[in-house]
Amino acid sequence: MLGMPDFIVRFFHRVRGNIEATIVLSLLGVAMTAFTIVTHGLAWWQQALLIAIFMCVLVWAIYATVSRRVVPTESYAKPLPVEISFPDKIRLFSKELSAYLSNRMARPDQEELYQKYSHPDANLFVQKYNETVQLWDDRLAAGYWLCFAERATALRHELVLRTGADAELDKLLGDLQNKRPEGQHQFWIQGLVERFRLLASRLD
């Protein structure tokens, strides 16, 4: 293979010993037979011209096939993730948490429920309260814990490293962590959004 173009060497190694080699050899045999038939009776210079044309077409076909199949390694390289600043990371978290609140249905009206079901049986009000208002509160708290609590704590720790602890932020996180959701969780979460946004603005 000394002196042969690199793409021909690669093509030879790729097809050697497999079914593609058999196909290539068969096609070459057919081509040579057809060439013999076509050039029969032609002058030597006409045969030489046809051979040159045939070789050019063959080389071009092999090159086109190999070049389409050899994909540059760079195309598989994943782009490097864009690093966002810490204040923007806080703003992104605040935006997502605010959207979580906005996308929920309004909390059931506790006073309206009380007026409707407290008389004559107070137990009926308790049952309806648990089925509607308390369920809404529990689902709100569960969604926060599932999707946001860990990220909020991580941002709080990074803030401490950069600027020190913030008492109001710590109180909001503590309330969300330690108190049962009974009507206040939505206000604490909204307060958390606003506090994070304020702290992010101080980092700019």
Side-chain angles (χ1 to χ4, degrees):
M1 296 296 176
L2 186 61
M4 295 184 66
D6 185 58
F7 68 89
I8 295 180
V9 175
R10 290 200 306 269
F11 178 76
F12 173 77
H13 286 296
R14 185 170 61 82
V15 302
R16 181 176 55 185
N18 59 31
I19 192 170
E20 290 186 9
T22 303
I23 295 174
V24 169
L25 291 175
S26 300
L27 290 176
L28 285 175
V30 171
M32 291 303 297
T33 302
F35 180 78
T36 302
I37 294 173
V38 170
T39 60
H40 182 70
L42 295 178
W44 69 268
W45 64 270
Q46 294 174 323
Q47 293 183 10
L49 180 61
L50 285 176
I51 290 174
I53 294 173
F54 172 76
M55 291 303 297
C56 288
V57 172
L58 179 62
V59 170
W60 172 82
I62 293 174
Y63 174 76
T65 302
V66 173
S67 63
R68 287 176 64 87
R69 292 194 178 186
V70 177
V71 181
T73 306
E74 291 77 9
S75 65
Y76 290 104
K78 295 182 179 179
L80 294 175
V82 178
E83 184 68 25
I84 63 173
S85 66
F86 181 58
D88 286 340
K89 188 186 299 184
I90 296 177
R91 292 188 185 96
L92 179 61
F93 172 79
S94 301
K95 182 179 179 181
E96 292 175 5
L97 186 55
S98 180
Y100 169 70
L101 281 179
S102 301
N103 293 336
R104 298 188 58 79
M105 294 186 298
R107 185 173 186 266
D109 191 326
Q110 183 174 335
E111 290 299 325
E112 180 180 338
L113 201 68
Y114 180 80
Q115 294 295 330
K116 187 174 182 180
Y117 294 108
S118 62
H119 302 289
D121 187 2
N123 290 329
L124 182 59
F125 164 72
V126 174
Q127 177 186 341
K128 294 296 183 181
Y129 178 89
N130 290 333
E131 291 175 352
T132 56
V133 179
Q134 189 61 57
L135 180 61
W136 190 95
D137 289 340
D138 289 341
R139 286 177 173 171
L140 174 70
Y144 168 79
W145 273 102
L146 183 64
C147 302
F148 299 100
E150 187 175 339
R151 293 170 61 193
T153 302
L155 289 174
R156 181 264 174 192
H157 292 337
E158 192 164 351
L159 274 167
V160 170
L161 292 175
R162 291 171 180 264
T163 62
D166 181 80
E168 186 171 340
L169 178 65
D170 288 348
K171 183 179 185 308
L172 288 166
L173 291 173
D175 289 340
L176 285 166
Q177 179 177 355
N178 300 319
K179 295 184 179 179
R180 187 181 180 195
E182 294 181 344
Q184 295 298 313
H185 260 57
Q186 59 181 329
F187 301 109
W188 291 333
I189 292 175
Q190 185 58 48
L192 190 65
V193 169
E194 294 170 358
R195 193 64 188 174
F196 266 130
R197 284 174 175 166
L198 175 63
L199 293 173
S201 68
R202 293 177 178 174
L203 292 172
D204 289 332

